[in-house]
Amino acid sequence: VSILGKNDDTYDPAVSAKKAKTPSSIALQKRSGGVGKIPTSFSSSFRNAPRKGRDTTAGSGWFNMTPTPMSDQLKTDLSLIRNRNYIDPKKFYKSADSFDGKVLQIGTVIEGSAEYYSSRLVKRDRRQNLTEEIMADAGVSGYAKRKYGDLQRERAKPNRKLHKRGGKKR
């Protein structure tokens, strides 16, 4: 005799499981039509239903914004933003943004009436996208040309250390 008051030699866990009346066992008995029968196949609606695709929106906190399709023009604008540290030497940006897998929206900034004389772009200076605006800026293009010329002059210089040792360049 065990502590539970059952004989060890006659105790069968399968028999006791059949006697236990849990909600799931009751539902199985009703589906199978009897006490001892166990269903061999389940025909539930969720197995036959098509799977939902991954939600590509930004979520309810962002008003379920849908992502903008990636075009070549958008890719160049994003690479320009990513490399903005090299465009303007007088501005410091903390870190480069990564746009992989993010929902992006493209729009037009509308200035307020107070900015009419201070920071407004004149109509002739406006361009279709960010890349064209940057390329049209004389200060940025002059800086880029100067830096490119410096790099070319640096590469054209002979490497004196290699000539003195007589070693190979690579």
Side-chain angles (χ1 to χ4, degrees), residues 150-168:
D150 291 346
L151 286 173
Q152 292 302 316
R153 279 191 292 281
E154 195 68 32
R155 285 186 181 169
K157 281 184 186 177
N159 198 345
R160 295 176 192 267
K161 290 180 184 177
L162 292 177
H163 290 296
K164 285 182 183 177
R165 281 192 300 184
K168 293 182 179 178

Side-chain angles (χ1 to χ4, degrees), residues 55-75:
D55 188 22
T56 57
T57 62
S60 62
W62 289 93
F63 307 105
N64 294 323
M65 279 195 321
T66 57
T68 306
M70 279 289 181
S71 63
D72 291 336
Q73 184 178 7
L74 182 59
K75 285 180 184 178

